[in-house]
Amino acid sequence: MMREMRPGDIAPIAEMARRIWEMDAYADIGRESSFLYVKGLYDRGTFGWVCERDGKVLGCVIGRICNTISFPSDIMSTIRTVLSIRKRKGYRDMVDDERTIDRTDRELYSGCGKGFDGELVLLIVSEEARGMGLGRLLFEKAADEFRSRGAEEIFLYTDDDCDFGFYDRMGAKRLNEKSVRLSNEDLLMMLYSFSL
């Protein structure tokens, strides 16, 4: 079943992200860092959809229309989480990695020399639901949502830790890429565009 994303979905999606993207590399703050990451994406989004079966979230897509402003859904929980982990092992690496990723995202975007109507902020499918077509279903749902809001071209960031070939298969075009070093791995970060 597909339905609109709710704030209560952040925690299970964050847990999915923690496992898939190996966020436990941030020592003892993997759970909190994945929660902060997904919550930040949710707060940036204009819309979000989840696929679930028997009440369990199996995948999620979040999109953002570029000319809209979004506001954090619960800023106090974010502040409490940051304060609870800021002195724990892994925090400095997480902050440094986020700065590197943000800086690289800005470089990739500015290197395109163009603007976009929207951003595919997150597309994630649980390990157990891979191969069931949920990624395609979520991507197509987001494309429909973007179209209904007047978007003609969107962009997305991805990296070689993800199945970036999925975006190639969906017809997206890689516009820019850059290699970066994070605290625990090297990544090839990419920006894709998709015409609606």
Side-chain angles (χ1 to χ4, degrees):
M1 171 178 114
M2 189 177 298
R3 62 167 173 76
E4 286 191 64
M5 187 176 176
R6 305 184 285 252
D9 297 320
I10 295 170
I13 294 165
E15 180 60 22
M16 188 186 314
R18 183 187 67 79
R19 288 189 316 269
I20 293 171
W21 294 324
E22 302 169 355
M23 294 182 87
D24 286 331
Y26 295 119
D28 61 346
I29 63 163
R31 197 169 305 281
E32 293 91 342
S33 63
S34 62
F35 178 83
L36 287 171
Y37 178 73
V38 172
K39 184 174 184 322
L41 298 178
Y42 176 79
D43 288 342
R44 280 180 43 207
T46 307
F47 63 84
W49 293 89
V50 298
C51 284
E52 68 176 5
R53 183 176 54 210
D54 300 325
K56 182 175 182 180
V57 175
L58 299 176
C60 167
V61 66
I62 299 173
R64 175 180 74 88
I65 298 296
C66 288
N67 63 357
T68 60
I69 298 172
S70 58
F71 298 96
S73 58
D74 180 7
I75 192 71
M76 290 310 297
S77 72
T78 301
I79 291 169
R80 282 191 298 273
T81 302
V82 169
L83 290 174
S84 75
I85 65 173
R86 67 188 165 101
K87 294 188 188 256
R88 290 169 47 196
K89 187 175 181 191
Y91 178 75
R92 177 56 39 208
D93 286 343
M94 179 194 74
V95 170
D96 290 346
D97 286 354
E98 281 303 314
R99 284 185 181 139
T100 298
I101 290 167
D102 286 345
R103 182 179 61 251
T104 304
D105 284 350
R106 285 191 303 274
E107 290 171 10
L108 291 172
Y109 190 91
S110 65
C112 290
K114 62 188 274 183
F116 300 91
D117 302 314
E119 177 187 4
L120 186 68
V121 177
L122 175 67
L123 175 61
I124 189 168
V125 175
S126 69
E127 303 97 322
E128 69 217 49
R130 302 266 167 94
M132 297 170 56
L134 292 184
R136 178 177 290 279
L137 185 68
L138 288 163
F139 187 89
E140 290 171 351
K141 180 66 175 176
D144 289 345
E145 188 81 39
F146 280 120
R147 281 187 208 99
S148 75
R149 295 168 184 260
E152 295 179 8
E153 187 175 20
I154 62 169
F155 76 100
L156 62 97
Y157 297 108
T158 190
D159 58 63
D160 61 352
D161 246 5
C162 302
D163 179 13
F164 62 90
F166 170 81
Y167 299 112
D168 294 317
R169 293 187 297 277
M170 295 303 295
K173 180 180 174 189
R174 189 184 315 181
L175 298 182
N176 209 347
E177 63 183 51
K178 182 177 181 178
S179 295
V180 297
R181 174 73 187 146
L182 300 181
S183 62
N184 66 335
E185 65 182 327
D186 293 317
L187 281 182
L188 177 64
M189 296 181 62
M190 298 164 259
L191 183 144
Y192 276 78
S193 70
F194 183 74
S195 295
L196 301 163

